[in-house]
Amino acid sequence: MRSSGDGTAAGAPYPQQGSTADRTIRQSAAPAAVAGDGMASADDIGYRGPTACAAAGITYRQLDYWARTGLVEPSVRPAYGSGTQRLYSFRDVVLLKIVKRFLDTGVALQNIRTTVQHLRARGFQDLERMTLMSDGATVYECSSPAEVVDLLQGGQGVFGIAVGVVWRDVDVALSQLHGERVDTGETLIGHNPADELARRRNRAV
């Protein structure tokens, strides 16, 4: 499906193996985290705004604007008014980081908005294996190295985002930050290697 300049989608879903023209944007289990004395799946964990910002490399102003305009809204818990905290899922944070990378490379916000809408409809495994290519005007989805090469040879792809790499970067970042259990509200303490090193040094003194 094509990501058009006005933010609307045109075209039809295409097969995974097809022509370059068919590969324009169209419409895995997330990592588990330690929760208290047991394991919690990604669906059980939410991340507050400041944590999402830190993991995605964005400002809180960007986060707030994207949420208010519907670009990337928190899927775990929206803000209901004064005093309530938004909670973002792991996949939300991955999308935030993808949006940031697209903006940094000059892709129009309208095209990014359409791309995000289609990525939200994807399963985790598809998302993790995907490479997003762009010529600055259109975003293309590639699910295999052969498709990336085909797109580059066609002269349409200028830069790419390997979603799996973004996924792993976010996973590492969030593992060192605090999360929150959705069902109990329990704070989940991240494991920061720097903190562990400091504790070891203090014991050695």
Side-chain angles (χ1 to χ4, degrees), residues 12-164:
Y14 60 89
Q16 288 298 314
Q17 300 297 329
S19 67
T20 300
D22 287 338
R23 204 165 294 120
T24 7
I25 268 293
R26 57 166 173 162
Q27 208 164 54
S28 84
V34 177
D37 56 0
M39 297 295 291
S41 71
D43 291 339
D44 297 327
I45 303 171
Y47 302 95
R48 294 192 176 194
T51 300
C53 289
I58 62 175
T59 66
Y60 193 84
R61 184 175 181 179
Q62 287 175 308
L63 182 83
D64 183 60
Y65 177 73
W66 296 349
R68 287 188 290 105
T69 58
L71 178 60
V72 182
E73 298 177 280
S75 61
V76 178
R77 186 176 69 208
Y80 290 110
S82 178
T84 61
Q85 291 277 349
R86 298 186 183 106
L87 279 184
Y88 290 81
S89 70
F90 176 87
R91 183 164 65 167
D92 294 337
V93 182
V94 172
L95 289 177
L96 289 169
K97 196 172 184 71
I98 289 172
V99 169
K100 172 68 160 54
R101 291 197 175 182
F102 273 134
L103 285 174
D104 287 346
T105 50
V107 177
L109 189 60
Q110 294 275 26
N111 289 337
I112 296 173
R113 185 178 298 278
T114 303
T115 301
V116 168
Q117 290 171 352
H118 291 294
L119 290 179
R120 278 199 174 279
R122 296 304 223 117
F124 269 115
Q125 290 183 331
D126 286 339
L127 196 62
E128 193 176 2
R129 291 196 300 263
M130 192 186 302
T131 298
L132 300 174
M133 306 289 290
S134 179
D135 56 8
T138 305
V139 178
Y140 303 87
E141 172 193 335
C142 299
S143 56
S144 72
E147 291 181 350
V148 174
V149 172
D150 183 38
L151 190 61
L152 290 171
Q153 289 177 340
Q156 291 172 285
V158 175
F159 64 89
I161 297 175
V163 180

Side-chain angles (χ1 to χ4, degrees), residues 33-35 44-55 85-90 93 170-181 185-192 195 199:
V34 177
D44 297 327
I45 303 171
Y47 302 95
R48 294 192 176 194
T51 300
C53 289
Q85 291 277 349
R86 298 186 183 106
L87 279 184
Y88 290 81
S89 70
F90 176 87
V93 182
V170 170
D171 186 24
V172 170
L174 289 177
S175 71
Q176 300 175 15
L177 299 168
H178 298 345
E180 182 178 315
R181 282 200 67 123
E186 174 191 1
T187 297
L188 310 178
I189 307 300
H191 172 69
N192 191 325
D195 292 343
R199 283 194 292 271

